[in-house]
Amino acid sequence: MRTYKFRIYPSDSQITILNSTLELCRELYNSMLQQKIYAYRWGKKVNYNSQQNEIPEIKNTFPEYRNIHSLVIQDVARRLDRGFHNFYRRMKEKRNGKNIKAGFPRFKSKGRYSSITYTQSGFRILDNGHVWLSKLGEVRMFMHRSVTGDIRTVSIKRDSVGGWFITLTVETGSNPDKSEEAETLQDSQFQPVKPAGIDMGLKSIITASDGSHMEPPQFLRKSEKKLTRAQRNLSRKRKGSGKGTKARMRVQKVHRKIERQRDDYAHRLSRNLVENHDLITFEDLNIRGMIRNHHLAKSIEDASWNRIIQYTMYKAESAGTVVILVNSRNTSRICSKCGNIKHDLKLSDRIYHCNICGLTMDRDLNAAINIRNMGLIKIGRGTPEVTPVEIGALPMATLVVEAGSPLRYSRSKFTSRVPI
Ligand SMILES: [Zn+2]
């Protein structure tokens, strides 16, 4: 499953319909929740199926619901059902000692029900790139990326500042297990000539094994600063006051912009990687998460790194590039030239200096080279002569010999700061 999010531009009359649909769905949601609570008080249970079976009757009693696609209405019941499922799950976790709130499903106040979902049918992508939605007609859509695969669900969302978005969930078919793929590659004829290892450092700075540093574009940094300012401004406003609402809208607007810029950056970066390499190795963030849990802004950064990895993976599929993940343990400490492990490397050491072989290079670059080498090992290329037990990195010289054909490692697209 893959999702695509696009901005849509409904006409004024369509916006009126959408808003009233959202409002009707909200009322339905609340009454279904009310029903569940009442039933519970009388010792009865109302489940998803019984609520769903009541929908025809609701349509009879309240004809305005006939103007909503039946699957959209069904989805309201499903959301509530999901809300209860999550509630029960968290209750269980709580009983098992986890420190969380159970979060009983809440009534939605006006304006707090902001999306509807078409499941299975009631939508169509038109040849002109716009979207057709049942009960709404053709809606202008800005499809900045082509969508491949079968569209399963379509959600329409109104954001807090009145913009409208569509999210398409697409089934892409096969989803090969990457570790399995690495194994099959061991027996294949695949001979990477442009392998890359990617080190993901602090502050979203990415270093490739060819020495290129890729930083988020300046405008993204600017927006992030803007966000900090907007948030500070909001914190000074009284909640619920006119100025407070304005300040909140401003924060949300900047949020949205940053989100768009991050997405765009991830797309450009992943395209660049896929176009310039035939084997790309990333560190497995799931494993790494357990090691560096103390890092403060970790979740935010992990999210943007994850996105870059995801985008690279799916772009790679059509480009014939291989993407693999490796355990990043010790990648900063290992000397990429001789395999020595520098145990006293501090986080503040920006330059890696090896006491054994004398290698001196940028710390992140050294890590990136290690990651690249680990990737090559994982697919069975460049088996090292000496593998320090604890690690799995290999001397560069061995790598070149063992890889069969000489490593023509292209550096043309990037500026290499340190000779490899
Ligand atoms: Zn060394």
Side-chain angles (χ1 to χ4, degrees):
M1 289 288 188
R2 186 184 296 171
T3 59
Y4 295 85
K5 191 176 172 189
F6 302 122
R7 185 142 194 194
I8 52 170
Y9 300 90
S11 66
D12 287 349
S13 60
Q14 285 170 333
I15 289 175
T16 312
I17 298 173
L18 280 169
N19 279 330
S20 82
T21 303
L22 286 173
E23 183 57 17
L24 286 170
C25 286
R26 178 182 80 88
E27 283 169 8
L28 184 65
Y29 181 93
N30 284 345
S31 39
M32 282 177 167
L33 174 56
Q34 184 72 271
Q35 188 188 35
K36 280 199 180 225
I37 294 169
Y38 276 149
Y40 179 78
R41 283 193 191 142
W42 290 99
K44 288 190 181 122
K45 240 185 166 177
V46 181
N47 61 16
Y48 165 70
N49 279 331
S50 69
Q51 289 201 318
Q52 208 219 87
N53 290 337
E54 275 184 69
I55 290 173
E57 208 188 310
I58 292 171
K59 280 185 168 178
N60 274 333
T61 326
F62 305 98
E64 58 268 35
Y65 281 95
R66 283 185 215 150
N67 296 329
I68 306 176
H69 193 271
S70 54
L71 291 173
V72 171
I73 301 186
Q74 266 185 33
D75 182 65
V76 176
R78 195 172 297 119
R79 284 186 196 191
L80 185 62
D81 189 51
R82 215 181 299 137
F84 271 93
H85 267 295
N86 292 339
F87 167 67
Y88 291 131
R89 181 178 46 78
R90 285 189 298 259
M91 281 287 275
K92 203 171 152 192
E93 286 173 2
K94 214 176 145 109
R95 273 198 299 276
N96 292 337
K98 215 168 171 186
N99 185 21
I100 46 166
K101 276 189 184 159
F104 189 82
R106 287 206 272 178
F107 289 100
K108 304 231 180 254
S109 57
K110 223 169 169 124
R112 293 310 286 268
Y113 199 96
S114 56
S115 72
I116 52 168
T117 301
Y118 290 78
T119 52
Q120 301 163 46
S121 68
F123 53 84
R124 205 165 53 235
I125 305 289
L126 303 171
D127 291 336
N128 60 9
H130 296 173
V131 61
W132 177 88
L133 296 163
S134 164
K135 312 282 184 191
L136 213 62
E138 182 177 336
V139 182
R140 223 149 59 78
M141 171 164 76
F142 179 49
M143 202 156 91
H144 55 280
R145 253 183 281 293
S146 61
V147 175
T148 46
D150 291 335
I151 301 172
R152 292 287 167 214
T153 65
V154 166
S155 291
I156 310 292
K157 189 173 169 55
R158 177 186 63 202
D159 76 359
S160 48
V161 283
W164 293 88
F165 293 87
I166 191 168
T167 304
L168 313 172
T169 309
V170 175
E171 197 172 281
T172 49
S174 64
N175 191 8
D177 179 357
K178 292 293 162 191
S179 58
E180 211 171 275
E181 199 179 7
E183 259 164 47
T184 50
L185 278 167
Q186 290 193 359
D187 310 321
S188 76
Q189 292 297 307
F190 176 61
Q191 199 59 260
V193 287
K194 292 196 266 176
I198 310 296
D199 176 68
M200 305 197 147
L202 300 178
K203 299 220 179 295
S204 311
I205 294 168
I206 284 172
T207 307
S209 52
D210 57 8
S212 57
H213 284 255
M214 289 159 273
E215 278 179 50
Q218 204 53 41
F219 57 77
L220 185 54
R221 287 266 169 267
K222 246 187 206 157
S223 300
E224 280 166 351
K225 267 187 204 136
K226 229 184 241 168
L227 179 66
T228 319
R229 263 204 309 275
Q231 275 166 336
R232 206 179 306 136
N233 188 29
L234 172 63
S235 69
R236 281 197 291 255
K237 299 281 184 292
R238 200 154 40 83
K239 216 180 159 187
S241 67
K243 276 186 179 166
T245 311
K246 237 181 177 174
R248 202 177 56 243
M249 293 230 319
R250 182 143 175 72
V251 169
Q252 276 155 351
K253 250 189 178 157
V254 184
H255 258 306
R256 195 170 78 187
K257 187 170 180 190
I258 288 182
E259 178 54 30
R260 225 173 26 235
Q261 288 177 334
R262 280 203 184 121
D263 201 59
D264 183 58
Y265 169 61
H267 271 294
R268 278 193 291 158
L269 183 60
S270 56
R271 197 177 313 124
N272 190 309
L273 287 175
V274 168
E275 278 171 5
N276 290 294
H277 303 283
D278 49 7
L279 174 70
I280 303 166
T281 307
F282 289 104
E283 27 185 325
D284 192 334
L285 295 177
N286 292 328
I287 299 175
R288 170 183 144 133
M290 289 184 275
I291 306 163
R292 291 197 214 165
N293 230 345
H294 59 273
H295 182 231
L296 202 66
K298 186 189 142 303
S299 59
I300 306 163
E301 291 195 331
D302 274 9
S304 57
W305 286 326
N306 246 328
R307 182 170 356 196
I308 289 163
I309 295 176
Q310 290 305 318
Y311 286 2
T312 309
M313 278 181 171
Y314 78 64
K315 284 192 174 65
E317 252 170 62
S318 50
T321 299
V322 176
V323 177
I324 49 179
L325 305 177
V326 295
N327 187 343
S328 61
R329 197 173 121 83
N330 272 343
T331 44
S332 314
R333 292 207 185 103
I334 299 165
C335 168
S336 60
K337 196 174 168 198
C338 74
N340 164 42
I341 301 181
K342 197 177 166 82
H343 285 287
D344 57 350
L345 187 79
K346 288 191 289 289
L347 210 61
S348 56
D349 294 340
R350 296 316 306 161
I351 298 293
Y352 184 97
H353 177 76
C354 177
N355 302 333
I356 309 290
C357 73
L359 174 84
T360 303
M361 69 162 63
D362 180 84
R363 170 211 180 94
D364 297 336
L365 177 58
N366 179 58
I369 293 171
N370 282 328
I371 290 166
R372 179 193 67 190
N373 295 353
M374 288 163 92
L376 284 163
I377 293 172
K378 199 165 175 183
I379 64 161
R381 304 292 180 274
T383 321
E385 265 168 15
V386 195
T387 311
V389 193
E390 207 178 332
I391 43 158
L394 68 164
M396 284 299 291
T398 321
L399 183 78
V400 177
V401 177
E402 292 287 325
S405 62
L407 273 170
R408 293 192 309 278
Y409 193 61
S410 158
R411 265 181 273 167
S412 57
K413 300 261 175 179
F414 304 107
T415 45
S416 182
R417 301 193 314 160
V418 187
I420 302 169

